[in-house]
Amino acid sequence: MIQIQDKNVENQVYFPKSTNIEGDLVLKLHSELTQKDYTFDVVNESKTSNYYKFNVNFKSVENGEYTYFINDTDSGLIRIGNVDEAVSTSTYIDGIEVVQYYPQYVKEIDYSKEPLTFKILSSGTINWTASNTAITRTIDYKLNDGKWASITSNTGETAPTINVVKGDKIQFKGNNAQYATDTSNYNSFSGSTASFEVEGNIMSLIYGDDFKNKLTINDYAFLGLFTRCTNLVSAENLILPATTLAGWCYDYMFDGCTSLATAPELPATTLANHCYGFMFYGCTSLTTAPALPATTLAEHCYATMFGGCTSLTTAPVLPATTLAMSCYQQMFYRCTSLTTAPKLPVTDLVNSCYKQMFQGCASLTTVPELPATTLAIYCYYGMFRDCTSLTTIPRNFLPVTTLADYCYYYMFQGCTSLTTAPELPATILADRCYSRMFYGCTSLTTVPSNLLPATTLAKNCYSNMFQGCTKLTTAPELPATTLAQGCYFNMFSDCKSLTTAPVLPATTLVSSCYAGMFNSCTKLNYIKCLATDISASDCTFVWVTDVAETGTFVKKQGVTWAEGISGIPNGWAIENNI
């Protein structure tokens, strides 16, 4: 244990001269009482002294425990990573100890000044593969301290390989503006059998030796570059310096990298269409997502970005205030370990913006607030589909009163643990707005009687809405008197616990409006339908297949119904409503 002594006179730390500080000395300091930042000045003692002496200055910082780097024994400056401006200064401090130090040479590397580099962790090959012969690219590589050599990609077994062993280092450079032309034509390191980490500046593949400080990239620049590199374990020190991106530039970049545990930083603030699409798709070892600082998005920019990242437990903050079409579509698709969704603050939505965003997130237990006041086509389509751990939804979760086509389509389909439904106050509906919304929610038992207040409907607006809700015992009221084509199509199909149908007050039926409505509701034994005009095509087509063998059907007096699966169920008693 090395302690700071004489704190009230002079803050000094002494290290034995036997300590190797000819290179860099790594210190780890900790304060039990306060959280501080330190700088040390070397005071060179005479040759007869047994110690190097360091004067100490203190600055307040946010965290109290760090690894420090002494870069130069003449200046002795210790620089701390990830700390902004000092909050305050103090001359002296209590309780400061050097709890551990390592007398070893540790050089801080500026990876932005290093070309794209692979650090080899196990023996094998590094392959340079083209998806087809029309897209081949030539790059240069240097193995360890050898000479630069050229290598041209090729397909399949004809792809060139570099034989490597553990501890090798390969550097790469090139002068190609892009390594792909679309999602079917690209170059990659797929097929590599060696385990490796990737570091350094990706721009060396575009700008050769002149890559430092370069920020401009083209469409499809690095699409699929590491796709299916199943032995790539870390990209933590890979530098992707561009702050303004291009279309599809990082699309599928790490697709199928099943061993990738750490992603690179993504500093870009100006995005482009499809720029990060499928970037980490299928990275089943990735546990933490990189920060995403952009506030204005682009079409499909994050689409399926983390799809299939089954170990991802925490989502990044999503600060964007301006959305674009399909910007978050399937972003966390089948992230089965994700437990909490990020905040979604935007109030004006765009087409497909949150479509299937959390589909298949089987560990998600809560939903984020959705403050949007203006919806768009497909905006929440399938958003929480198959979130099988989701049990409750806040009552005021969906406050919007004017809907858009397909806005809630599939939204909670397959949420098999969901027991309650949110309020749905909308009075202006749109085509298929609620279609399949709670399809297959097998734990849903009841819904508010006034759940669906709209009196004017839209095409297929409620189709399949509660289909397969096998525990639903009570249906909501259906007050609408003006129907639309297919409006209630299969609405309660397979609701095997439902005994009583909601009153159906509409007098004039329309094409397919009730088709399949109560199909396979095996306990259903009461229907009251007040229609006077049932002539529309398929208006009651197979609507009572496999209902209870006996029951009561109430109809308007004077209206003639057929009997059977498309009319009044066989064996039921008939009552007339005057």
Side-chain angles (χ1 to χ4, degrees):
M1 188 77 68
I2 303 173
Q3 293 184 325
I4 297 174
Q5 302 293 340
D6 300 323
K7 66 181 185 319
N8 293 317
V9 180
E10 182 181 30
N11 299 297
Q12 297 177 343
V13 182
Y14 296 84
F15 292 97
K17 275 195 171 180
S18 59
T19 301
N20 175 19
I21 60 171
E22 295 302 320
D24 289 358
L25 179 66
V26 180
L27 306 176
K28 194 173 186 180
L29 296 96
H30 176 68
S31 166
E32 295 181 357
L33 301 179
T34 56
Q35 299 173 338
K36 297 295 175 179
D37 178 13
Y38 309 86
T39 58
F40 285 64
D41 296 316
V42 172
V43 178
N44 290 316
E45 297 291 290
S46 65
K47 292 182 179 180
T48 59
S49 173
N50 292 324
Y51 298 94
Y52 291 108
K53 184 173 69 175
F54 297 78
N55 291 333
V56 187
N57 300 305
F58 304 98
K59 296 178 180 178
S60 177
V61 295
E62 294 181 358
N63 299 296
E65 189 170 349
Y66 293 99
T67 298
Y68 294 82
F69 298 90
I70 298 180
N71 294 320
D72 189 311
T73 55
D74 290 325
S75 69
L77 178 65
I78 297 180
R79 190 181 69 79
I80 187 170
N82 300 320
V83 172
D84 297 323
E85 296 295 325
V87 177
S88 62
T89 60
S90 174
T91 304
Y92 306 107
I93 192 168
D94 294 324
I96 305 301
E97 296 179 331
V98 178
V99 296
Q100 192 174 11
Y101 74 93
Y102 304 88
Q104 60 183 350
Y105 183 82
V106 178
K107 182 180 180 181
E108 184 188 12
I109 299 173
D110 184 350
Y111 291 101
S112 69
K113 297 179 180 178
E114 176 184 294
L116 180 66
T117 302
F118 292 1
K119 291 176 65 176
I120 306 302
L121 305 179
S122 70
S123 298
T125 63
I126 298 298
N127 298 13
W128 182 227
T129 305
S131 62
N132 61 69
T133 55
I135 193 65
T136 59
R137 294 287 188 270
T138 298
I139 58 175
D140 296 332
Y141 76 94
K142 183 172 72 171
L143 178 61
N144 298 322
D145 295 323
K147 295 182 178 180
W148 287 97
S150 294
I151 189 172
T152 301
S153 60
N154 213 325
T155 60
E157 295 182 357
T158 61
T161 60
I162 304 169
N163 294 317
V164 293
V165 297
K166 181 179 179 180
D168 280 349
K169 182 174 75 172
I170 312 176
Q171 294 181 323
F172 295 94
K173 63 182 180 179
N175 289 283
N176 302 294
Q178 57 184 190
Y179 286 84
T181 55
D182 56 43
T183 55
S184 299
N185 296 278
Y186 58 91
N187 289 272
S188 73
F189 293 99
S190 62
S192 297
T193 62
S195 179
F196 65 102
E197 297 177 346
V198 59
E199 63 185 33
N201 196 328
I202 195 76
M203 293 301 197
S204 68
L205 288 181
I206 296 177
Y207 296 99
D209 291 324
D210 188 29
F211 65 88
K212 297 175 185 176
N213 301 316
K214 291 293 192 295
L215 301 176
T216 303
I217 57 177
N218 295 313
D219 291 351
Y220 302 100
F222 302 116
L223 182 148
L225 189 65
F226 297 102
T227 189
R228 295 185 298 281
C229 285
T230 56
N231 294 309
L232 172 59
V233 299
S234 175
E236 180 178 8
N237 297 316
L238 176 64
I239 305 299
L240 305 176
T243 55
T244 298
L245 301 188
W248 290 267
C249 58
Y250 299 135
D251 205 36
Y252 290 94
M253 191 173 188
F254 297 100
D255 169 35
C257 293
T258 53
S259 299
L260 185 70
T262 311
E265 291 184 3
L266 302 176
T269 53
T270 302
L271 307 187
N273 294 351
H274 297 264
C275 55
Y276 292 130
F278 293 85
M279 187 174 186
F280 299 102
Y281 185 77
C283 291
T284 54
S285 297
L286 192 68
T287 58
T288 304
L292 301 171
T295 57
T296 300
L297 305 187
E299 293 182 9
H300 292 87
C301 57
Y302 297 134
T304 326
M305 185 177 186
F306 301 103
C309 291
T310 54
S311 297
L312 190 70
T313 58
T314 305
V317 174
L318 300 176
T321 54
T322 302
L323 305 185
M325 187 178 72
S326 300
C327 53
Y328 293 128
Q329 183 172 333
Q330 292 190 328
M331 186 176 186
F332 301 104
Y333 178 74
R334 293 186 179 175
C335 290
T336 53
S337 297
L338 190 69
T339 58
T340 305
K343 293 181 179 180
L344 302 171
V346 179
T347 57
D348 292 330
L349 305 189
V350 297
N351 292 357
S352 302
C353 54
Y354 297 130
K355 185 177 181 181
Q356 299 171 286
M357 187 175 185
F358 301 102
Q359 182 175 337
C361 292
S363 298
L364 194 69
T365 56
T366 58
V367 293
E369 291 184 11
L370 299 178
T373 54
T374 303
L375 304 188
I377 298 172
Y378 294 105
C379 57
Y380 295 132
Y381 178 112
M383 189 175 185
F384 301 102
R385 181 176 177 179
D386 298 327
C387 291
T388 54
S389 295
L390 203 59
T391 59
T392 58
I393 306 296
R395 289 183 61 188
N396 60 346
F397 184 59
L398 300 170
V400 180
T401 57
T402 300
L403 304 187
D405 292 352
Y406 293 84
C407 58
Y408 299 138
Y409 193 87
Y410 280 121
M411 191 172 186
F412 299 104
Q413 177 171 327
C415 292
T416 54
S417 298
L418 191 66
T419 59
T420 59
E423 293 179 354
L424 301 173
T427 54
I428 300 177
L429 306 190
D431 289 355
R432 296 186 183 270
C433 54
Y434 292 123
S435 184
R436 297 178 177 263
M437 189 175 186
F438 299 104
Y439 188 114
C441 291
T442 54
S443 296
L444 192 65
T445 56
T446 60
V447 294
S449 61
N450 62 346
L451 181 69
L452 306 173
T455 55
T456 300
L457 307 186
K459 183 179 178 180
N460 288 93
C461 56
Y462 296 131
S463 62
N464 309 88
M465 187 175 183
F466 297 101
Q467 183 172 348
C469 294
T470 55
K471 292 183 180 179
L472 187 68
T473 58
T474 305
E477 295 175 359
L478 300 176
T481 55
T482 301
L483 306 186
Q485 181 181 340
C487 55
Y488 296 129
F489 179 86
N490 277 350
M491 186 176 184
F492 300 103
S493 180
D494 293 309
C495 290
K496 297 185 182 301
S497 299
L498 192 66
T499 58
T500 302
V503 175
L504 304 175
T507 56
T508 302
L509 305 191
V510 298
S511 176
S512 302
C513 60
Y514 294 150
M517 190 175 184
F518 303 108
N519 177 41
S520 296
C521 293
T522 54
K523 292 184 179 181
L524 186 71
N525 57 28
Y526 185 88
I527 298 173
K528 185 176 183 179
C529 180
L530 303 180
T532 57
D533 183 351
I534 59 174
S535 62
S537 63
D538 296 325
C539 59
T540 59
F541 181 69
V542 295
W543 75 318
V544 288
T545 303
D546 293 326
V547 296
E549 292 184 0
T550 60
T552 300
F553 189 95
V554 180
K555 67 179 184 65
K556 272 306 243 186
Q557 184 172 329
V559 179
T560 301
W561 285 76
E563 293 190 10
I565 60 175
S566 296
I568 298 174
N570 291 321
W572 281 30
I574 301 172
E575 295 181 1
N576 288 311
N577 178 271
I578 300 174

